[in-house]
Amino acid sequence: MRSLSETSSVKQAGGRLMDKVAMITGAASGIGREIALTFAREGAKVVIADLDQQAARRTAAEIDPTGKRALGVAMDVGNEEQVEIGMGQAIQAFGRLDVLVSNAGVQIVGPLVEFEFAKWKKLLSIHLDGAFLTTRAALRQMYKQNSGSIIYMGSVHSKEASPLKAPYVTAKHGLIGLAKVVAKEGADRGVRANVICPGFVRTPLVEKQIPEQAREFGISEAEVVKNIMLKETVDGQFTTVQDVAETALFLAAFPSNALTGQSLVVSHGWSMQ
């Protein structure tokens, strides 16, 4: 992974997101962090929204210690009040909102017949309630501007299914439906909505799944990686955080409504449409 010093410098005039304002949820680590770094490199002012407020502030400070181009805010995306407060802080700091990347998520695996209802509700709240609440708050500002781009972090599981992932697959499928509605409702206000559908990205979220699935299936961790996670790829490779961030940049910078209501798979060929 690239270091912050290599990725956070702002390009001179010509950056694809020059002076755009982007909020990325779950951006203190993993995919969200890489998206924030990439957007900042391309000239955007970035809002790092994360459940871990201190981590959000650290990431923002590393991108821009002056605070002029990066802001860290605390946000539990499933909490309506926190979403409204965090969005308000972002708009107060930067005056507008051009891009929302709804990235915050968790993974909980287990057979459906044994799955606890509380865990089901927790996962759906973060993925779906969080997407709804942040979208609603973002649209209020984007409609005032008559412009904006909303990007949802889906998954290959937005289109496919795997054992032990019932709530995750359900939630990720749901994001495609939400994006299509936002694309329809937001079109005449200049707002686009799209979904990125990554394959397995070796983040802490995926690292946690490897031993969990090894236990559930009674196989080795190496077999989980080779025969479950990467079996259907064309080259046996994990998707990288950089792959996903570059896709987010492409969608955020796209210049027209020609690309809206779509879901783009980034998976080394694991899922082909």
Side-chain angles (χ1 to χ4, degrees):
M1 183 182 295
R2 292 168 290 172
S3 69
L4 273 167
S5 61
E6 293 173 316
T7 58
S8 61
S9 59
V10 176
K11 286 185 175 180
Q12 299 303 311
R16 284 178 281 178
L17 296 178
M18 186 58 61
D19 291 329
K20 300 292 187 180
V21 177
M23 172 180 281
I24 305 101
T25 66
S29 63
I31 291 172
R33 174 187 168 95
E34 188 67 22
I35 291 172
L37 297 178
T38 299
F39 283 13
R41 183 195 73 211
E42 291 290 336
K45 300 173 183 178
V46 294
V47 181
I48 312 298
D50 201 278
L51 188 64
D52 186 337
Q53 183 178 33
Q54 294 306 312
R57 288 176 174 173
R58 284 196 300 270
T59 299
E62 289 167 354
I63 290 172
D64 180 11
T66 71
K68 294 179 180 179
R69 305 191 67 86
L71 172 70
V73 300
M75 187 180 292
D76 174 352
V77 296
N79 183 298
E80 183 175 14
E81 182 179 10
Q82 287 194 29
V83 169
E84 294 294 331
I85 290 172
M87 190 65 70
Q89 290 172 333
I91 293 167
Q92 182 178 18
F94 297 129
R96 59 184 295 115
L97 182 70
D98 300 287
V99 183
L100 168 68
V101 182
S102 177
N103 168 73
V106 297
Q107 176 63 283
I108 306 171
V109 300
L112 183 58
V113 70
E114 300 171 4
F115 215 92
E116 296 175 30
F117 187 37
K119 290 182 178 179
W120 171 277
K121 290 192 291 184
K122 175 183 177 181
L123 190 147
L124 264 63
S125 175
I126 293 170
H127 288 269
L128 292 181
D129 295 351
F132 161 70
L133 290 171
T134 53
T135 296
R136 187 181 64 177
L139 286 177
R140 290 171 180 149
Q141 178 63 31
M142 290 177 175
Y143 282 1
K144 292 177 183 177
Q145 303 164 187
N146 286 309
S147 65
S149 175
I150 296 179
I151 301 168
Y152 299 99
M153 194 57 61
S155 166
V156 167
H157 287 104
S158 295
K159 298 172 179 287
E160 307 285 350
S162 294
L164 309 180
K165 296 184 177 181
Y168 188 80
V169 170
T170 300
K172 293 302 189 182
H173 272 66
L175 290 176
I176 289 183
L178 177 60
K180 289 178 178 180
V181 172
V182 174
K184 293 281 189 180
E185 292 189 3
D188 63 354
R189 307 298 288 272
V191 176
R192 296 178 291 109
N194 294 287
V195 186
I196 301 174
C197 300
F200 282 101
V201 182
R202 202 145 191 178
T203 62
L205 193 69
V206 167
E207 292 287 355
K208 177 176 176 289
Q209 292 177 55
I210 296 173
E212 290 175 342
Q213 293 198 38
R215 287 193 298 270
E216 289 286 349
F217 289 117
I219 59 178
S220 70
E221 293 186 14
E223 288 174 308
V224 170
V225 171
K226 181 179 180 181
N227 298 327
I228 296 178
M229 292 184 169
L230 303 181
K231 180 181 179 181
E232 302 300 330
T233 64
V234 297
D235 53 9
Q237 298 295 314
F238 280 98
T239 302
T240 68
V241 291
Q242 291 89 354
D243 294 331
V244 181
E246 289 297 329
T247 306
L249 174 61
F250 168 72
L251 291 173
F254 199 82
S256 77
N257 277 351
L259 183 55
T260 192
Q262 303 302 314
S263 51
L264 187 56
V265 178
V266 186
S267 68
H268 288 256
W270 174 25
S271 175
M272 297 185 184
Q273 302 300 308

